[in-house]
Amino acid sequence: MASGETERPRTTPDGPAPDGLVDSGLVVVGASHAGVQLAAAAREYGYPGPITLIGDEPDAPYQRPPLSKGFLAGKTSEPDLALRSDAFFAETGITLRPGTRAAAIDRAARRLHLADGTFLPYGHLALTTGARARPLPASFGEPPGGVLVLRDLADARRLREAAATARDVVVLGGGFIGLEVAAALASPAPDSPERRVTLAEGRPRLLARSASPELAEHVAARHRAAGVALHLGTAVDAIEQRDGRLAAVRLTDGTRLPADLLVVGIGVIPNTELAEAAGLACLDGIVVDRHARTEDPHILAAGDCTAHPSEFAGATIRLESIQNAQDQARTAAATIVGRAQPHIALPWFWSDQLGMKLQMAGLLDGTDRTVRREKPGGDGSDAKFSLWHFAGERLRAVETVNLPAEHMLSRRLLALADGPTPAQAADPGFDLRRLLKG
Amino acid sequence: MPTITYVQPDGTRREVEAPVGSTVMLAAVRNNVRGIDAECGGALACATCHVYVDPAWMDRIPPAGEDEADMLEGVAGERRETSRLSCQINVDAALDGLVVEIPAEQG
């Protein structure tokens, strides 16, 4: 780092003198997408002090999106998942400590206490603790063998192993994780056994939290065509076990599904315990401002674990996405080096399942009309179309199916003060790219 | 292991060893080559791993697929004949010595 005394970044105006801060360094808790991006960006922006990245998992940081896609389908191997190389950490001078669990934050002394009894002093502490899979409600009792969740690499290994011999799979939850798991397991490799895959969702439709009814309907049709039996508006009533192993799942509509594997994909719980115990405000997420700061000027947070103000939403939201993890991590890194770079990014997301590329940009809340644009030339899982969602005349969200270029265009259009009107979006003769010029 | 050279907009060159089976994007990200953001991790979802392939190498790389070609129309940096998304360039032994240039702007 070619950073002399005079170039040291300034801290927040109400923080103490910067020298002690930089000497103590930056400690990042959570070797996640957000954590790795935050550490890397801090270094890239010229942070001169030591950077330590701790993670409670034993593995070096890895890419999460493929876990429910290519990894589960057997197309992606573990080495392919690596997020960065050893050379990266060596070159950037970022100390990576996997298998290290944080126990408590001593805010007065600016120390992070670890589960092994030692502590790390910090000038800045960044919490990128992510979220964990929501388990089955406790009323179902201790889950028997064969009941799994999917969030991290260890989960994915277990699930891949269990799926190799499973004949009757039930997926609980019609969100993206549940659907990606169902898709991966319904399209088995040539040498694996036939499987029956059933997906049960308590709400009346798929993707109730994250996609429009039109897109959900298309996804439902593709899953049915792929052989996934969908039970919508139906919750799990009871889990039957035999000799400590899952035997069947009974649904509230009376259906009894024999099962040797139950994958629970009913959402996540943000990992806020460390922040809460330190007295930091948490409300379905660690509360941060648009600069990724908590109420403590020395502590920041980024990624799935944060509740943050969204300019686009006009509200405080929590997002579970790579995009948010990376953008917010860069904002946090900028704040740490004294550079103002508010987190105002447009939310976007993607999912690959059954050969379809689904992409969403913007937020659906408050939208009241939808324009559908078709691109001819494909049907079934190859169908190409997009759904443009408006609140009145204002474009708020765009969902695309197998149209990655249109997704890219929609992100630029959503960022405009004067985006397309519903009439323009509905007119196949209108070139939307015209709006980007001038 | 094939070696790939990344040239920054300021002319700085960086050689990286890229395992066969990885991509030109992955080799860059894992080795701290700046300017390849790859926000989506190679899912063909973001167009932030745009590179210019050295003209001498253009014929030795399979051409861009339809989706990649469409997405290249929307890249933030200057679009050239040699523009590619580096996540779509798979590394094999034949790519040993490949040179790619990084655009001034991504994302």
Short mmCIF file of all heavy atoms in Angstrom, two decimals, chain A residues 5-26 47-48 110 122-125 291 293 296-300 332-340:
data_model
loop_
_atom_site.label_atom_id
_atom_site.label_comp_id
_atom_site.label_asym_id
_atom_site.label_seq_id
_atom_site.Cartn_x
_atom_site.Cartn_y
_atom_site.Cartn_z
N GLU A 5 1.36 8.84 5.80
CA GLU A 5 0.64 9.42 6.94
C GLU A 5 -0.44 10.40 6.51
O GLU A 5 -1.56 10.34 6.96
CB GLU A 5 1.62 10.16 7.86
CG GLU A 5 2.46 9.26 8.75
CD GLU A 5 1.64 8.46 9.74
OE1 GLU A 5 0.83 9.07 10.45
OE2 GLU A 5 1.79 7.23 9.78
N THR A 6 -0.06 11.30 5.60
CA THR A 6 -0.98 12.38 5.25
C THR A 6 -2.18 11.87 4.46
O THR A 6 -3.18 12.55 4.38
CB THR A 6 -0.25 13.45 4.40
OG1 THR A 6 0.38 12.78 3.30
CG2 THR A 6 0.79 14.18 5.21
N GLU A 7 -2.07 10.68 3.90
CA GLU A 7 -3.17 10.18 3.07
C GLU A 7 -4.13 9.29 3.86
O GLU A 7 -5.05 8.74 3.29
CB GLU A 7 -2.62 9.38 1.89
CG GLU A 7 -1.89 10.26 0.89
CD GLU A 7 -1.05 9.43 -0.07
OE1 GLU A 7 -1.18 8.19 -0.06
OE2 GLU A 7 -0.27 10.04 -0.80
N ARG A 8 -3.86 9.17 5.13
CA ARG A 8 -4.74 8.31 5.91
C ARG A 8 -6.19 8.77 5.83
O ARG A 8 -6.46 9.96 5.89
CB ARG A 8 -4.29 8.30 7.36
CG ARG A 8 -3.20 7.28 7.56
CD ARG A 8 -2.97 7.02 9.01
NE ARG A 8 -2.00 5.94 9.11
CZ ARG A 8 -1.43 5.61 10.24
NH1 ARG A 8 -1.71 6.25 11.35
NH2 ARG A 8 -0.57 4.63 10.28
N PRO A 9 -7.09 7.83 5.71
CA PRO A 9 -8.48 8.26 5.59
C PRO A 9 -8.97 8.87 6.89
O PRO A 9 -8.53 8.51 7.97
CB PRO A 9 -9.21 6.96 5.29
CG PRO A 9 -8.34 5.90 5.86
CD PRO A 9 -6.94 6.38 5.74
N ARG A 10 -9.90 9.77 6.73
CA ARG A 10 -10.49 10.38 7.90
C ARG A 10 -11.66 9.48 8.32
O ARG A 10 -12.24 8.78 7.49
CB ARG A 10 -10.86 11.77 7.43
CG ARG A 10 -12.11 12.35 7.69
CD ARG A 10 -12.22 13.67 6.89
NE ARG A 10 -13.16 13.56 5.78
CZ ARG A 10 -14.44 13.35 5.94
NH1 ARG A 10 -14.93 13.19 7.13
NH2 ARG A 10 -15.25 13.28 4.92
N THR A 11 -11.97 9.47 9.59
CA THR A 11 -13.10 8.66 10.03
C THR A 11 -14.34 9.52 10.05
O THR A 11 -14.31 10.67 9.63
CB THR A 11 -12.87 8.11 11.46
OG1 THR A 11 -12.67 9.23 12.31
CG2 THR A 11 -11.68 7.19 11.52
N THR A 12 -15.41 8.96 10.53
CA THR A 12 -16.64 9.74 10.65
C THR A 12 -16.38 10.93 11.55
O THR A 12 -15.56 10.85 12.48
CB THR A 12 -17.75 8.87 11.26
OG1 THR A 12 -17.21 8.21 12.40
CG2 THR A 12 -18.20 7.83 10.27
N PRO A 13 -17.05 12.04 11.30
CA PRO A 13 -16.74 13.28 12.02
C PRO A 13 -16.81 13.13 13.55
O PRO A 13 -16.05 13.77 14.26
CB PRO A 13 -17.82 14.25 11.53
CG PRO A 13 -18.30 13.69 10.24
CD PRO A 13 -18.13 12.23 10.32
N ASP A 14 -17.70 12.28 14.02
CA ASP A 14 -17.84 12.17 15.48
C ASP A 14 -16.97 11.07 16.07
O ASP A 14 -17.02 10.80 17.25
CB ASP A 14 -19.32 11.95 15.85
CG ASP A 14 -19.95 10.81 15.08
OD1 ASP A 14 -19.34 10.37 14.07
OD2 ASP A 14 -21.01 10.35 15.48
N GLY A 15 -16.14 10.44 15.27
CA GLY A 15 -15.26 9.39 15.78
C GLY A 15 -14.00 10.00 16.37
O GLY A 15 -13.71 11.19 16.17
N PRO A 16 -13.24 9.21 17.09
CA PRO A 16 -11.99 9.72 17.65
C PRO A 16 -10.90 9.85 16.58
O PRO A 16 -11.14 9.60 15.42
CB PRO A 16 -11.62 8.66 18.68
CG PRO A 16 -12.29 7.41 18.22
CD PRO A 16 -13.49 7.83 17.44
N ALA A 17 -9.72 10.26 17.01
CA ALA A 17 -8.62 10.46 16.07
C ALA A 17 -8.38 9.20 15.24
O ALA A 17 -8.49 8.09 15.75
CB ALA A 17 -7.35 10.82 16.83
N PRO A 18 -8.05 9.37 13.95
CA PRO A 18 -7.98 8.22 13.07
C PRO A 18 -6.82 7.27 13.33
O PRO A 18 -6.91 6.10 13.00
CB PRO A 18 -7.86 8.85 11.67
CG PRO A 18 -7.39 10.23 11.90
CD PRO A 18 -7.88 10.64 13.25
N ASP A 19 -5.72 7.75 13.93
CA ASP A 19 -4.52 6.91 13.96
C ASP A 19 -4.73 5.60 14.70
O ASP A 19 -4.43 4.54 14.18
CB ASP A 19 -3.36 7.69 14.58
CG ASP A 19 -2.99 8.86 13.68
OD1 ASP A 19 -3.73 9.87 13.72
OD2 ASP A 19 -2.04 8.72 12.92
N GLY A 20 -5.30 5.69 15.89
CA GLY A 20 -5.55 4.47 16.65
C GLY A 20 -6.47 3.53 15.90
O GLY A 20 -6.30 2.33 15.95
N LEU A 21 -7.43 4.11 15.19
CA LEU A 21 -8.39 3.30 14.45
C LEU A 21 -7.71 2.45 13.39
O LEU A 21 -7.94 1.26 13.28
CB LEU A 21 -9.42 4.21 13.75
CG LEU A 21 -10.50 4.82 14.60
CD1 LEU A 21 -11.48 5.57 13.72
CD2 LEU A 21 -11.22 3.72 15.37
N VAL A 22 -6.87 3.11 12.60
CA VAL A 22 -6.22 2.38 11.52
C VAL A 22 -5.23 1.36 12.06
O VAL A 22 -5.11 0.26 11.55
CB VAL A 22 -5.54 3.37 10.55
CG1 VAL A 22 -4.58 2.65 9.63
CG2 VAL A 22 -6.61 4.10 9.74
N ASP A 23 -4.53 1.72 13.16
CA ASP A 23 -3.58 0.78 13.74
C ASP A 23 -4.30 -0.49 14.20
O ASP A 23 -3.79 -1.59 14.06
CB ASP A 23 -2.85 1.42 14.93
CG ASP A 23 -1.90 2.51 14.45
OD1 ASP A 23 -1.61 2.53 13.23
OD2 ASP A 23 -1.48 3.33 15.27
N SER A 24 -5.49 -0.33 14.79
CA SER A 24 -6.23 -1.51 15.25
C SER A 24 -6.82 -2.27 14.09
O SER A 24 -7.11 -3.45 14.19
CB SER A 24 -7.36 -1.10 16.19
OG SER A 24 -6.82 -0.43 17.30
N GLY A 25 -7.05 -1.59 12.99
CA GLY A 25 -7.45 -2.28 11.79
C GLY A 25 -8.94 -2.51 11.65
O GLY A 25 -9.75 -2.08 12.47
N LEU A 26 -9.23 -3.21 10.57
CA LEU A 26 -10.60 -3.55 10.23
C LEU A 26 -10.80 -5.04 10.46
O LEU A 26 -10.02 -5.86 9.98
CB LEU A 26 -10.85 -3.20 8.75
CG LEU A 26 -12.12 -3.77 8.09
CD1 LEU A 26 -13.37 -3.21 8.76
CD2 LEU A 26 -12.11 -3.42 6.59
N TYR A 47 -7.48 1.48 2.16
CA TYR A 47 -7.40 1.30 3.61
C TYR A 47 -6.01 0.78 3.97
O TYR A 47 -5.59 -0.28 3.49
CB TYR A 47 -8.48 0.31 4.09
CG TYR A 47 -8.51 0.16 5.59
CD1 TYR A 47 -9.15 1.12 6.38
CD2 TYR A 47 -7.89 -0.91 6.22
CE1 TYR A 47 -9.16 1.00 7.76
CE2 TYR A 47 -7.90 -1.04 7.59
CZ TYR A 47 -8.54 -0.08 8.35
OH TYR A 47 -8.55 -0.19 9.72
N PRO A 48 -5.28 1.51 4.83
CA PRO A 48 -3.88 1.15 5.04
C PRO A 48 -3.62 0.18 6.20
O PRO A 48 -2.53 -0.37 6.32
CB PRO A 48 -3.24 2.50 5.36
CG PRO A 48 -4.34 3.29 6.01
CD PRO A 48 -5.65 2.77 5.49
N ARG A 110 -13.48 -1.63 22.14
CA ARG A 110 -13.33 -1.95 20.71
C ARG A 110 -12.55 -3.26 20.52
O ARG A 110 -11.48 -3.32 19.91
CB ARG A 110 -12.66 -0.79 19.96
CG ARG A 110 -13.55 0.45 19.86
CD ARG A 110 -13.27 1.26 18.61
NE ARG A 110 -11.89 1.63 18.46
CZ ARG A 110 -11.36 2.78 18.88
NH1 ARG A 110 -12.13 3.68 19.48
NH2 ARG A 110 -10.11 3.04 18.68
N TYR A 122 -10.20 -3.78 17.31
CA TYR A 122 -10.58 -3.23 16.01
C TYR A 122 -10.68 -1.72 16.06
O TYR A 122 -11.00 -1.14 17.09
CB TYR A 122 -11.91 -3.84 15.52
CG TYR A 122 -13.13 -3.50 16.38
CD1 TYR A 122 -13.80 -2.28 16.23
CD2 TYR A 122 -13.62 -4.41 17.31
CE1 TYR A 122 -14.92 -1.98 17.00
CE2 TYR A 122 -14.74 -4.11 18.09
CZ TYR A 122 -15.38 -2.89 17.93
OH TYR A 122 -16.48 -2.58 18.69
N GLY A 123 -10.40 -1.12 14.91
CA GLY A 123 -10.71 0.28 14.71
C GLY A 123 -12.11 0.39 14.12
O GLY A 123 -12.93 1.19 14.56
N HIS A 124 -12.35 -0.45 13.12
CA HIS A 124 -13.68 -0.61 12.57
C HIS A 124 -14.03 -2.10 12.57
O HIS A 124 -13.19 -2.95 12.31
CB HIS A 124 -13.74 -0.10 11.12
CG HIS A 124 -13.80 1.39 11.03
ND1 HIS A 124 -12.69 2.14 10.73
CD2 HIS A 124 -14.82 2.25 11.21
CE1 HIS A 124 -13.04 3.43 10.72
NE2 HIS A 124 -14.31 3.52 11.01
N LEU A 125 -15.29 -2.34 12.87
CA LEU A 125 -15.81 -3.71 12.85
C LEU A 125 -16.93 -3.74 11.83
O LEU A 125 -17.83 -2.89 11.85
CB LEU A 125 -16.34 -4.07 14.24
CG LEU A 125 -16.93 -5.47 14.42
CD1 LEU A 125 -15.83 -6.52 14.34
CD2 LEU A 125 -17.65 -5.57 15.77
N HIS A 291 -25.10 4.72 4.62
CA HIS A 291 -23.66 4.53 4.52
C HIS A 291 -23.21 3.23 5.18
O HIS A 291 -22.03 3.04 5.44
CB HIS A 291 -22.94 5.73 5.15
CG HIS A 291 -23.20 7.01 4.41
ND1 HIS A 291 -22.56 7.34 3.26
CD2 HIS A 291 -24.09 8.00 4.65
CE1 HIS A 291 -23.03 8.51 2.81
NE2 HIS A 291 -23.96 8.92 3.64
N ARG A 293 -23.66 2.28 8.19
CA ARG A 293 -23.23 2.46 9.57
C ARG A 293 -24.32 2.03 10.54
O ARG A 293 -25.49 2.37 10.34
CB ARG A 293 -22.91 3.93 9.86
CG ARG A 293 -21.70 4.46 9.14
CD ARG A 293 -21.50 5.93 9.46
NE ARG A 293 -22.60 6.73 8.93
CZ ARG A 293 -22.45 7.94 8.40
NH1 ARG A 293 -21.25 8.50 8.34
NH2 ARG A 293 -23.48 8.62 7.94
N ASP A 296 -23.33 2.77 16.20
CA ASP A 296 -21.96 2.89 16.72
C ASP A 296 -21.05 3.27 15.55
O ASP A 296 -20.95 2.52 14.57
CB ASP A 296 -21.52 1.53 17.32
CG ASP A 296 -20.13 1.59 17.94
OD1 ASP A 296 -19.26 2.32 17.42
OD2 ASP A 296 -19.91 0.88 18.94
N PRO A 297 -20.37 4.43 15.63
CA PRO A 297 -19.58 4.87 14.47
C PRO A 297 -18.44 3.92 14.09
O PRO A 297 -17.89 4.03 13.00
CB PRO A 297 -19.03 6.23 14.91
CG PRO A 297 -19.16 6.27 16.38
CD PRO A 297 -20.31 5.38 16.74
N HIS A 298 -18.09 2.99 14.97
CA HIS A 298 -17.01 2.05 14.65
C HIS A 298 -17.53 0.73 14.08
O HIS A 298 -16.74 -0.15 13.78
CB HIS A 298 -16.19 1.76 15.91
CG HIS A 298 -15.64 2.99 16.53
ND1 HIS A 298 -14.60 3.69 15.98
CD2 HIS A 298 -16.01 3.68 17.63
CE1 HIS A 298 -14.34 4.76 16.72
NE2 HIS A 298 -15.19 4.78 17.71
N ILE A 299 -18.84 0.59 14.02
CA ILE A 299 -19.39 -0.70 13.58
C ILE A 299 -20.30 -0.50 12.37
O ILE A 299 -21.22 0.33 12.40
CB ILE A 299 -20.17 -1.39 14.73
CG1 ILE A 299 -19.28 -1.52 15.96
CG2 ILE A 299 -20.67 -2.76 14.27
CD1 ILE A 299 -19.94 -2.20 17.14
N LEU A 300 -20.01 -1.26 11.34
CA LEU A 300 -20.81 -1.21 10.12
C LEU A 300 -21.40 -2.60 9.86
O LEU A 300 -20.99 -3.58 10.50
CB LEU A 300 -19.93 -0.79 8.93
CG LEU A 300 -19.27 0.58 9.09
CD1 LEU A 300 -17.86 0.42 9.63
CD2 LEU A 300 -19.26 1.33 7.77
N ALA A 332 -19.96 0.20 2.58
CA ALA A 332 -19.35 0.12 3.91
C ALA A 332 -17.85 0.38 3.82
O ALA A 332 -17.28 1.12 4.63
CB ALA A 332 -19.62 -1.25 4.53
N ALA A 333 -17.20 -0.20 2.81
CA ALA A 333 -15.76 -0.01 2.65
C ALA A 333 -15.46 1.46 2.38
O ALA A 333 -14.49 2.02 2.92
CB ALA A 333 -15.24 -0.88 1.51
N ALA A 334 -16.28 2.10 1.57
CA ALA A 334 -16.09 3.52 1.27
C ALA A 334 -16.23 4.35 2.54
O ALA A 334 -15.45 5.27 2.80
CB ALA A 334 -17.09 3.97 0.21
N THR A 335 -17.23 4.02 3.34
CA THR A 335 -17.43 4.75 4.60
C THR A 335 -16.20 4.62 5.49
O THR A 335 -15.76 5.60 6.10
CB THR A 335 -18.67 4.19 5.33
OG1 THR A 335 -19.80 4.31 4.47
CG2 THR A 335 -18.93 4.94 6.62
N ILE A 336 -15.64 3.44 5.55
CA ILE A 336 -14.49 3.19 6.43
C ILE A 336 -13.29 4.03 6.01
O ILE A 336 -12.54 4.52 6.85
CB ILE A 336 -14.15 1.67 6.44
CG1 ILE A 336 -15.25 0.91 7.18
CG2 ILE A 336 -12.78 1.42 7.07
CD1 ILE A 336 -15.21 -0.59 6.99
N VAL A 337 -13.10 4.24 4.71
CA VAL A 337 -11.96 5.06 4.28
C VAL A 337 -12.34 6.54 4.17
O VAL A 337 -11.55 7.34 3.67
CB VAL A 337 -11.35 4.57 2.94
CG1 VAL A 337 -10.86 3.15 3.07
CG2 VAL A 337 -12.34 4.71 1.79
N GLY A 338 -13.55 6.89 4.63
CA GLY A 338 -13.91 8.30 4.68
C GLY A 338 -14.42 8.86 3.36
O GLY A 338 -14.40 10.06 3.13
N ARG A 339 -14.87 7.96 2.51
CA ARG A 339 -15.38 8.38 1.21
C ARG A 339 -16.90 8.20 1.24
O ARG A 339 -17.38 7.15 1.65
CB ARG A 339 -14.78 7.43 0.16
CG ARG A 339 -14.83 7.94 -1.26
CD ARG A 339 -14.63 6.79 -2.22
NE ARG A 339 -13.23 6.44 -2.42
CZ ARG A 339 -12.86 5.55 -3.35
NH1 ARG A 339 -13.75 4.94 -4.11
NH2 ARG A 339 -11.59 5.25 -3.51
N ALA A 340 -17.64 9.24 0.85
CA ALA A 340 -19.10 9.14 0.89
C ALA A 340 -19.60 8.45 -0.37
O ALA A 340 -19.36 8.92 -1.48
CB ALA A 340 -19.72 10.51 1.01
#
